[in-house]
Amino acid sequence: MKMRAWGFALAIALFNSVLAADEPLPPLAIGEKLGGAAGRPAFGQTAFALPAPNLDAKQLRDFSFGNRLFNTNWVIAGSSTASFDGVGPLFNRVSCSGCHVRDGRGRPPEPGEPMESMLVRVSIPGRDAYGGPLHHPVYGDQIQDRAIPGVKPEATVVLTWEEAGGTYADGEAYSLRRPRVELRDPAYGPLGSKLLMSPRVAQGMVGLGLLEAVPDEALIGMADPDDADGDGISGRVNQVWNGATRSKAVGRFGWKSNQPSIRQQVAGAAAGDIGITSTVAPADACTSAQQACREALSGGGAELSDEFLTKLVLYSRTLAVPDRRHVGDAQIERGGALFASAGCIACHRPTLQTGAHELAQVSHQTIHPFTDLLLHDMGEGLADGRPDFEAGGSEWRTTPLWGLGLIPDVNGHELLLHDGRARGPAEAILWHGGEAQTSREAFRRMPRADREALIAFLRSL
């Protein structure tokens, strides 16, 4: 959460000067257009569901059809709805929007509820043939807690919480919660003692095409894996498997940047989460131990046709980024300056440039996503202990912050981080460790008025 251009020493010096709420600070010069020409004003429950305003007429038609696909409830193979059948045999939800509700962010279940917009990744120690996580021999790479008739769901996921208290430097108390995951009634035999688990909520959908258009060279240029400049930040590029090119590629999507493209991300989620195959992800998630799953009726070789996949990808690429709100408000502008002075912009980089992309509407844009799309060591507090390609067990991709303040309007909650443990931006910051520990401490030591200003800035994004 710091910026090399400011440097570690400068960030500390700036923070130490921030003691009074009226102390002047260099402004963070970000206007309202976070998504460049692919952004627009947006409010309320539909804030994340609008098309980029620079789409042409054909793209708008394809966007509308992609929206239909995104919200379609897929049905069991053999139904009369042949274009939308083939769900499962094992699955988590029956639609994309089942997890990404209104194109927004998922949340953990309330006590006694099943998981709806969250799932649990699993693996065992080691790497697969492509360098990725080694799938569990029986349960694959995620727990699918639903199944079609005649097939048993893999397990019931139960989430509980542990609370631990702390205090800000001014004595105000806070409490942080940590999830504990239990897999009950595993249907296909023991889980084993080597199981690695990581609960993950669904991520927001806006701005994905813009992030895809940031050149690989830009991400590589921002990386500093050996902390050569000594600023305490060592962001890394994740090198992942690109199924289209059959080679390693720069990762940028997913909680650990384990996907190189939106097409592969969409196809992988369709197969893993819904059980819908495609030419990109042609196999159902049935292991050799799940015989009923393997013998279940299929919806065909590619249940999600290439035509449908292409329109779903277009939709995912062109959801508009909401404009920033309350630009010019004194408290919010001071909060942006405090965000910078605490060093948060080293990883949550305010500005990126997109390059050439097959979709002209996201090409050559100045955008403000507040991310570097790199992996950073966030410390043991946030570690899931589950490597993913070159991402270690305590490394996570820097989450884009655009749209953060609209999550309560769209999704009715403000539960943040990869597993939804943080009940708002302040708790999310307080969980930051590792490379972000200095910035976290800068926030923890701020007077209450400064903390509130920083949070108000984040909620304006």
Side-chain angles (χ1 to χ4, degrees):
M1 289 179 67
K2 306 194 308 29
M3 183 177 184
R4 295 185 188 93
W6 287 78
F8 179 82
L10 180 56
I12 294 299
L14 279 169
F15 169 70
N16 287 338
S17 71
V18 183
L19 297 176
D22 58 354
E23 186 80 22
L25 285 170
L28 185 59
I30 298 296
E32 65 179 17
K33 300 300 294 184
L34 300 181
R40 67 191 309 161
F43 304 91
Q45 282 195 339
T46 63
F48 297 156
L50 303 175
N54 55 352
L55 300 185
D56 62 32
K58 180 183 183 304
Q59 289 168 333
L60 280 171
R61 289 194 298 271
D62 289 346
F63 178 94
S64 296
F65 193 82
N67 177 63
R68 179 190 172 192
L69 291 169
F70 193 84
N71 290 283
T72 290
N73 289 339
W74 289 75
V75 296
I76 297 171
S79 75
S80 60
T81 313
S83 295
F84 299 101
D85 76 349
V87 68
L90 293 165
F91 60 98
N92 294 97
R93 299 291 282 151
V94 297
S95 68
C96 302
S97 62
C99 282
H100 304 276
V101 179
R102 289 182 286 276
D103 303 286
R105 180 185 170 84
R107 64 168 179 85
E110 295 294 331
E113 287 184 348
M115 284 191 170
E116 296 291 351
S117 52
M118 187 178 193
L119 57 77
V120 177
R121 292 277 179 218
V122 294
S123 57
I124 59 175
R127 293 180 179 233
D128 68 12
Y130 305 108
L134 186 58
H135 291 194
H136 189 282
V138 176
Y139 293 95
D141 71 338
Q142 70 190 65
I143 296 298
Q144 290 151 324
D145 56 359
R146 292 167 170 83
I148 66 173
V151 179
K152 295 179 180 179
E154 290 183 316
T156 299
V157 181
V158 177
L159 202 67
T160 56
W161 301 95
E162 296 178 355
E163 294 271 353
T167 57
Y168 291 103
D170 60 11
E172 183 178 337
Y174 60 80
S175 182
L176 302 179
R177 64 177 188 170
R178 181 195 304 270
R180 295 296 180 204
V181 178
E182 181 184 357
L183 302 181
R184 293 182 182 173
D185 305 318
Y188 299 96
L191 296 159
S193 60
K194 297 181 179 180
L195 183 71
L196 304 175
M197 294 191 296
S198 183
R200 312 276 182 86
V201 299
Q203 294 182 294
M205 297 291 296
V206 299
L208 297 183
L210 293 166
L211 297 178
E212 188 175 53
V214 177
D216 288 353
E217 295 75 19
L219 304 189
I220 294 168
M222 288 186 287
D224 184 15
D226 300 316
D227 192 19
D229 59 10
D231 71 349
I233 302 296
S234 48
R236 302 196 306 124
V237 168
N238 198 1
Q239 293 288 340
V240 305
W241 184 251
N242 186 323
T245 63
R246 308 300 295 172
S247 63
K248 286 292 186 75
V250 171
R252 64 184 68 211
F253 299 111
W255 285 108
K256 288 182 180 272
S257 283
N258 67 346
Q259 291 287 5
S261 69
I262 296 173
R263 187 175 183 86
Q264 187 165 305
Q265 170 71 34
V266 168
D273 301 350
I274 311 175
I276 298 299
T277 59
S278 64
T279 56
V280 177
D284 283 318
C286 304
T287 67
S288 59
Q290 298 168 334
Q291 193 62 28
C293 179
R294 293 165 63 88
E295 294 174 354
L297 181 65
S298 168
E303 295 157 337
L304 179 64
S305 69
D306 284 345
E307 178 190 2
F308 282 11
L309 176 58
T310 296
K311 290 179 179 178
L312 196 52
V313 169
L314 183 279
Y315 175 78
S316 301
R317 282 175 169 166
T318 57
L319 285 161
V321 176
D323 289 351
R324 183 177 162 223
R325 299 160 310 287
H326 311 301
V327 175
D329 177 274
Q331 182 198 36
I332 286 172
E333 297 307 317
R334 177 172 175 80
L338 288 162
F339 186 76
S341 73
C344 303
I345 56 175
C347 302
H348 290 285
R349 288 194 173 229
T351 304
L352 296 176
Q353 300 289 332
T354 70
H357 189 275
E358 64 183 86
L359 187 66
Q361 283 76 8
V362 300
S363 300
H364 306 297
Q365 299 286 324
T366 298
I367 60 174
H368 305 293
F370 288 84
T371 180
D372 58 9
L373 296 175
L374 298 178
L375 299 171
H376 293 276
D377 185 345
M378 300 301 292
E380 287 304 307
L382 283 177
D384 66 353
R386 183 179 181 273
D388 201 333
F389 290 96
E390 296 183 13
S394 60
E395 289 183 302
W396 300 94
R397 183 193 74 158
T398 306
T399 299
L401 299 181
W402 52 17
L404 177 67
L406 289 167
I407 294 171
D409 293 341
V410 174
N411 299 121
H413 69 80
E414 200 175 27
L415 303 175
L416 306 176
L417 299 178
H418 66 279
D419 51 17
R421 70 177 66 187
R423 294 159 294 197
E427 287 190 21
I429 295 170
L430 292 167
W431 268 112
H432 282 52
E435 297 175 42
Q437 183 169 344
T438 298
S439 295
R440 178 198 69 197
E441 282 301 293
F443 175 75
R444 195 185 67 83
R445 294 187 183 119
M446 286 181 187
R448 182 174 185 177
D450 285 353
R451 298 196 304 268
E452 291 176 346
L454 191 153
I455 298 303
F457 166 73
L458 292 176
R459 287 174 172 152
S460 78
L461 297 178

